[in-house]
Amino acid sequence: MARRLDLALKDVPLRAPAPLFERPRPPQGVFTSQSGFLRALGGLAVVVLAILPFLDASRYTISIATSALIYVMLCMGLNVVVGYAGLLDLGYIAFFAVGAYVSGIFTTVLGWPMWAALPATVLACIFAGIIIGAPTLRLRSDYLAIVTLGFGEIIRITANNLTITGGPSGIHGIPTWEFFGWSFDDGFTIGGLEFPERVVFYYFVAIIVVVVGVIGARLSKGRLGRAWKAVRDDEDAAEAMGINTYATKISAYIIGAVWAGIAGQLMATHLSAISPNSFQFLYSALILMAVVLGGMGSTPGVIIGALFVSLAPELLRDFAEWRFLIFGVLLVVVMLFRPSGLWPATAVLPWLKRNRPAPPPFTEAVASVPPSVFESTDGTPDADVRDGGRG
C-alpha cells in the first residue's frame, strides 16, 4: 500500500493548493471597518488640535490644552510598558523627572539651547531605563511593582538632596525652545494672523504628540508589538515559542522611558520651573489610572483616559472644594460600568457587531490521489486500507 502510494506520487509536482473560493477584500470605509473609523477619528482629532487656538486663544485655555497634550504623551509611554508589555510600573514618574531635570540642568547650568539638550535627555532616559530595568525586569507581578515604586521615590529624593538640581527649590528660569536665533518667545505672523509664544509652543507639542502616537500605533502592530503582547499574555509560553522575553521587556521599558523623558522636557519648558514636589508617587498613580481607565493596550482609549484625568479637575473647578469628590465619584462610576476601560483594545464598534461575515460557498471534495491507488489488482479495496494502513 505505502509502496504503491509512493510510486503514484513520485512524479506529481509539488505546488500549493489553490483556494477553493475567493476571499472577499476587507472593507476600508469609515463606517464599515474598525481601522477606517479610527483613521477618520484621528484625522478629526488633528483638525480639532489645529483650530483650537482660533476658537479660544486665551492664555488659560492654551496652557491647559498644552498640559493635557503632555499628559497624553506621558500616558502613551506608560501604555507601552503596562498596556502592551504587561509590566506594572508604579514609579513611571521617575523618567518624567529625569527628562525634566536633565533638560533643566543643560539649559540653565551649561547654557545649551533646548534643542541641543534633547539628545542628552534621550540618552539619559535610555541609561536610566537600563539601570532601573536591567535588575527589576527579572521580577514579575507585585514584586516588580514594589521595586519600581522604590526607584521612583529614589529619583525624587535624590533630586531633593543634590545641589545641581536645586535641592527642594528645584530649577527656575528654564528657557523656551530656540532655533538658530529665533525663539518661541518671538512668535510669528502669517497672513496677518499673529501667533504668540504660547500658541506656537502648543502647536509644537501637538506635532510631537501626534508623531509619538503614530509611531506607537505602528510599533503595536509590528513584530515587536506582537512580542510585547505575547509576553503580556503568558511569559512562559512566549519564551517557549522562542521569544527573548527579557530583551522584549527591556525594549518596552526603554521606549516608555524615552517618551516620558521627552514629555518631561516639554513640561519643564512649559512651566519654566521644576521642583521635586512635582514628581511624587501620586502622579505615577494618576498616570496609571488614566491608562487603566481608558483601556490598557488601546491608543484611543489611553488618549481618552488621559484627557479625562487631566481635564476633569479643571472642568469641575467651579465646584470649588467639591470638585475632587465629584472627580473621584466619576472615576468610580466609570470603573463600575466600564471595567475594561472606556475604549478597550478589544472594542468593536456597535454598528459593526451586526455585520456577520458571509459563510463561504459549499464545495465538493476533490480527491488528490486517484482511487485506483487504494484498490488491489482484482478491483477490491486493499486490505491495508481496511486495517487503517497498519499493514
Side-chain angles (χ1 to χ4, degrees):
M1 166 64 184
R3 185 172 179 273
R4 286 197 299 272
L5 184 60
D6 291 340
L7 292 175
L9 298 177
K10 180 178 180 181
D11 298 327
V12 176
L14 297 176
R15 63 179 183 273
L20 299 179
F21 57 90
E22 291 293 333
R23 186 181 300 273
R25 295 177 62 87
Q28 299 294 330
V30 175
F31 296 104
T32 57
S33 69
Q34 186 95 358
S35 58
F37 180 80
L38 290 179
R39 284 194 294 268
L41 189 62
L44 179 62
V46 172
V47 172
V48 171
L49 289 177
I51 66 175
L52 177 62
F54 296 96
L55 300 177
D56 187 358
S58 63
R59 185 175 297 275
Y60 173 77
T61 300
I62 298 301
S63 177
I64 295 301
T66 304
S67 299
L69 287 176
I70 296 174
Y71 207 84
V72 167
M73 183 176 176
L74 193 60
C75 291
M76 284 194 295
L78 184 60
N79 187 43
V80 174
V81 180
V82 178
Y84 294 151
L87 305 173
L88 184 56
D89 189 352
L90 295 181
Y92 189 68
I93 199 68
F95 302 116
F96 189 65
V98 169
Y101 272 106
V102 169
S103 62
I105 292 172
F106 272 80
T107 54
T108 58
V109 178
L110 302 180
W112 288 25
M114 188 61 71
W115 62 267
L118 180 60
T121 301
V122 173
L123 291 177
C125 291
I126 293 175
F127 183 72
I130 294 175
I131 291 297
I132 298 176
T136 60
L137 292 182
R138 299 187 183 277
L139 304 174
R140 299 187 186 182
S141 65
D142 300 338
Y143 302 100
L144 176 63
I146 293 172
V147 173
T148 53
L149 171 62
F151 273 110
E153 288 299 299
I154 288 173
I155 294 295
R156 184 184 65 84
I157 294 173
T158 301
N160 193 50
N161 289 276
L162 290 179
T163 304
I164 195 172
T165 59
S169 300
I171 300 176
H172 301 271
I174 299 176
T176 187
W177 292 73
E178 180 179 348
F179 299 94
F180 308 106
W182 176 80
S183 172
F184 281 2
D185 289 332
D186 301 333
F188 58 83
T189 303
I190 298 179
L193 295 176
E194 181 181 356
F195 293 88
E197 178 272 335
R198 61 181 182 277
V199 175
V200 178
F201 184 72
Y202 162 79
Y203 279 131
F204 180 69
V205 173
I207 292 173
I208 294 178
V209 171
V210 170
V211 171
V212 168
V214 172
I215 295 175
R218 294 292 182 182
L219 286 176
S220 65
K221 297 179 181 178
R223 182 177 180 181
L224 182 59
R226 293 193 297 271
W228 287 340
K229 295 173 184 177
V231 172
R232 176 195 64 190
D233 295 337
D234 194 325
E235 185 173 347
D236 295 329
E239 189 170 4
M241 294 301 295
I243 297 176
N244 189 338
T245 57
Y246 183 72
T248 301
K249 291 191 294 184
I250 202 168
S251 65
Y253 210 66
I254 291 175
I255 291 175
V258 170
W259 288 357
I262 297 176
Q265 183 170 1
L266 294 174
M267 184 60 77
T269 307
H270 177 52
L271 300 177
S272 73
I274 53 176
S275 65
N277 291 331
S278 303
F279 310 105
Q280 297 178 356
F281 166 72
L282 174 63
Y283 297 101
S284 290
L286 285 175
I287 300 168
L288 180 61
M289 182 175 59
V291 174
V292 176
L293 182 69
M296 293 189 298
S298 170
T299 300
V302 168
I303 294 175
I304 294 174
L307 293 177
F308 180 84
V309 172
S310 60
L311 296 180
E314 295 298 329
L315 297 177
L316 298 173
R317 187 173 291 275
D318 293 337
F319 295 93
E321 66 270 10
W322 292 96
R323 63 190 178 113
F324 292 107
L325 176 61
I326 299 175
F327 177 61
V329 171
L330 289 176
L331 290 177
V332 173
V333 170
V334 172
M335 290 293 183
L336 288 177
F337 289 95
R338 300 289 294 179
S340 298
L342 294 173
W343 193 315
T346 57
V348 179
L349 299 175
W351 56 86
L352 293 181
K353 293 180 180 180
R354 297 190 295 267
N355 299 335
R356 297 184 179 275
F362 290 100
T363 57
E364 297 180 356
V366 180
S368 58
V369 180
S372 59
V373 175
F374 301 99
E375 296 179 355
S376 60
T377 55
D378 57 356
T380 59
D382 195 284
D384 292 340
V385 178
R386 293 195 304 268
D387 297 338
R390 292 187 296 271

